[in-house]
PDB file of all heavy atoms in Angstrom:
ATOM      1  N   SER A 813     -19.299-107.531 -86.388  1.00 95.00           N
ATOM      2  CA  SER A 813     -20.700-107.845 -86.668  1.00 95.00           C
ATOM      3  C   SER A 813     -21.520-107.688 -85.394  1.00 95.00           C
ATOM      4  O   SER A 813     -21.073-108.049 -84.300  1.00 95.00           O
ATOM      5  CB  SER A 813     -20.832-109.274 -87.193  1.00 95.00           C
ATOM      6  OG  SER A 813     -20.183-109.409 -88.429  1.00 95.00           O
ATOM      7  N   TYR A 814     -22.719-107.132 -85.548  1.00 95.00           N
ATOM      8  CA  TYR A 814     -23.618-106.953 -84.409  1.00 95.00           C
ATOM      9  C   TYR A 814     -24.959-107.583 -84.747  1.00 95.00           C
ATOM     10  O   TYR A 814     -25.442-107.430 -85.860  1.00 95.00           O
ATOM     11  CB  TYR A 814     -23.816-105.462 -84.104  1.00 95.00           C
ATOM     12  CG  TYR A 814     -24.695-105.228 -82.897  1.00 95.00           C
ATOM     13  CD1 TYR A 814     -24.143-105.115 -81.627  1.00 95.00           C
ATOM     14  CD2 TYR A 814     -26.079-105.179 -83.018  1.00 95.00           C
ATOM     15  CE1 TYR A 814     -24.946-104.948 -80.516  1.00 95.00           C
ATOM     16  CE2 TYR A 814     -26.885-105.025 -81.909  1.00 95.00           C
ATOM     17  CZ  TYR A 814     -26.322-104.906 -80.664  1.00 95.00           C
ATOM     18  OH  TYR A 814     -27.101-104.750 -79.555  1.00 95.00           O
ATOM     19  N   PRO A 815     -25.580-108.311 -83.757  1.00 93.00           N
ATOM     20  CA  PRO A 815     -25.138-108.545 -82.378  1.00 93.00           C
ATOM     21  C   PRO A 815     -24.263-109.787 -82.272  1.00 93.00           C
ATOM     22  O   PRO A 815     -24.180-110.591 -83.186  1.00 93.00           O
ATOM     23  CB  PRO A 815     -26.460-108.758 -81.647  1.00 93.00           C
ATOM     24  CG  PRO A 815     -27.342-109.397 -82.674  1.00 93.00           C
ATOM     25  CD  PRO A 815     -26.961-108.782 -83.991  1.00 93.00           C
ATOM     26  N   GLN A 816     -23.633-109.928 -81.099  1.00 91.00           N
ATOM     27  CA  GLN A 816     -22.839-111.104 -80.784  1.00 91.00           C
ATOM     28  C   GLN A 816     -23.323-111.684 -79.455  1.00 91.00           C
ATOM     29  O   GLN A 816     -23.641-110.940 -78.531  1.00 91.00           O
ATOM     30  CB  GLN A 816     -21.354-110.748 -80.678  1.00 91.00           C
ATOM     31  CG  GLN A 816     -20.763-110.275 -81.988  1.00 91.00           C
ATOM     32  CD  GLN A 816     -19.244-110.179 -81.941  1.00 91.00           C
ATOM     33  OE1 GLN A 816     -18.620-110.412 -80.909  1.00 91.00           O
ATOM     34  NE2 GLN A 816     -18.655-109.854 -83.076  1.00 91.00           N
ATOM     35  N   ASP A 817     -23.379-113.005 -79.388  1.00 87.00           N
ATOM     36  CA  ASP A 817     -23.841-113.663 -78.168  1.00 87.00           C
ATOM     37  C   ASP A 817     -22.810-113.551 -77.059  1.00 87.00           C
ATOM     38  O   ASP A 817     -21.609-113.437 -77.312  1.00 87.00           O
ATOM     39  CB  ASP A 817     -24.139-115.139 -78.436  1.00 87.00           C
ATOM     40  CG  ASP A 817     -25.343-115.329 -79.337  1.00 87.00           C
ATOM     41  OD1 ASP A 817     -26.189-114.411 -79.394  1.00 87.00           O
ATOM     42  OD2 ASP A 817     -25.433-116.382 -79.993  1.00 87.00           O
ATOM     43  N   ARG A 818     -23.290-113.629 -75.856  1.00 88.00           N
ATOM     44  CA  ARG A 818     -22.401-113.639 -74.696  1.00 88.00           C
ATOM     45  C   ARG A 818     -21.802-115.030 -74.494  1.00 88.00           C
ATOM     46  O   ARG A 818     -22.385-116.039 -74.879  1.00 88.00           O
ATOM     47  CB  ARG A 818     -23.175-113.245 -73.435  1.00 88.00           C
ATOM     48  CG  ARG A 818     -23.807-111.879 -73.496  1.00 88.00           C
ATOM     49  CD  ARG A 818     -24.540-111.558 -72.208  1.00 88.00           C
ATOM     50  NE  ARG A 818     -25.274-110.302 -72.326  1.00 88.00           N
ATOM     51  CZ  ARG A 818     -25.977-109.751 -71.342  1.00 88.00           C
ATOM     52  NH1 ARG A 818     -26.028-110.328 -70.161  1.00 88.00           N
ATOM     53  NH2 ARG A 818     -26.609-108.610 -71.534  1.00 88.00           N
ATOM     54  N   THR A 819     -20.665-115.058 -73.855  1.00 87.00           N
ATOM     55  CA  THR A 819     -20.081-116.322 -73.407  1.00 87.00           C
ATOM     56  C   THR A 819     -20.217-116.474 -71.898  1.00 87.00           C
ATOM     57  O   THR A 819     -19.906-117.530 -71.358  1.00 87.00           O
ATOM     58  CB  THR A 819     -18.599-116.405 -73.803  1.00 87.00           C
ATOM     59  OG1 THR A 819     -17.906-115.273 -73.263  1.00 87.00           O
ATOM     60  CG2 THR A 819     -18.446-116.393 -75.328  1.00 87.00           C
ATOM     61  N   CYS A 820     -20.661-115.413 -71.231  1.00 90.00           N
ATOM     62  CA  CYS A 820     -20.892-115.396 -69.780  1.00 90.00           C
ATOM     63  C   CYS A 820     -22.259-114.773 -69.546  1.00 90.00           C
ATOM     64  O   CYS A 820     -22.598-113.781 -70.201  1.00 90.00           O
ATOM     65  CB  CYS A 820     -19.799-114.584 -69.088  1.00 90.00           C
ATOM     66  SG  CYS A 820     -20.089-114.299 -67.319  1.00 90.00           S
ATOM     67  N   PRO A 821     -23.066-115.333 -68.641  1.00 88.00           N
ATOM     68  CA  PRO A 821     -24.426-114.813 -68.467  1.00 88.00           C
ATOM     69  C   PRO A 821     -24.514-113.356 -68.050  1.00 88.00           C
ATOM     70  O   PRO A 821     -25.522-112.705 -68.306  1.00 88.00           O
ATOM     71  CB  PRO A 821     -24.997-115.720 -67.361  1.00 88.00           C
ATOM     72  CG  PRO A 821     -24.180-116.954 -67.384  1.00 88.00           C
ATOM     73  CD  PRO A 821     -22.807-116.509 -67.791  1.00 88.00           C
ATOM     74  N   TYR A 822     -23.459-112.827 -67.406  1.00 92.00           N
ATOM     75  CA  TYR A 822     -23.563-111.472 -66.871  1.00 92.00           C
ATOM     76  C   TYR A 822     -22.478-110.535 -67.402  1.00 92.00           C
ATOM     77  O   TYR A 822     -22.315-109.428 -66.889  1.00 92.00           O
ATOM     78  CB  TYR A 822     -23.505-111.495 -65.330  1.00 92.00           C
ATOM     79  CG  TYR A 822     -22.422-112.376 -64.772  1.00 92.00           C
ATOM     80  CD1 TYR A 822     -21.110-111.925 -64.658  1.00 92.00           C
ATOM     81  CD2 TYR A 822     -22.709-113.678 -64.384  1.00 92.00           C
ATOM     82  CE1 TYR A 822     -20.118-112.735 -64.169  1.00 92.00           C
ATOM     83  CE2 TYR A 822     -21.710-114.512 -63.890  1.00 92.00           C
ATOM     84  CZ  TYR A 822     -20.422-114.033 -63.785  1.00 92.00           C
ATOM     85  OH  TYR A 822     -19.429-114.858 -63.312  1.00 92.00           O
TER      86      TYR A 822
END
Side-chain angles (χ1 to χ4, degrees):
S813 295
Y814 182 91
Q816 295 191 357
D817 292 337
R818 301 181 186 182
T819 56
C820 172
Y822 45 83

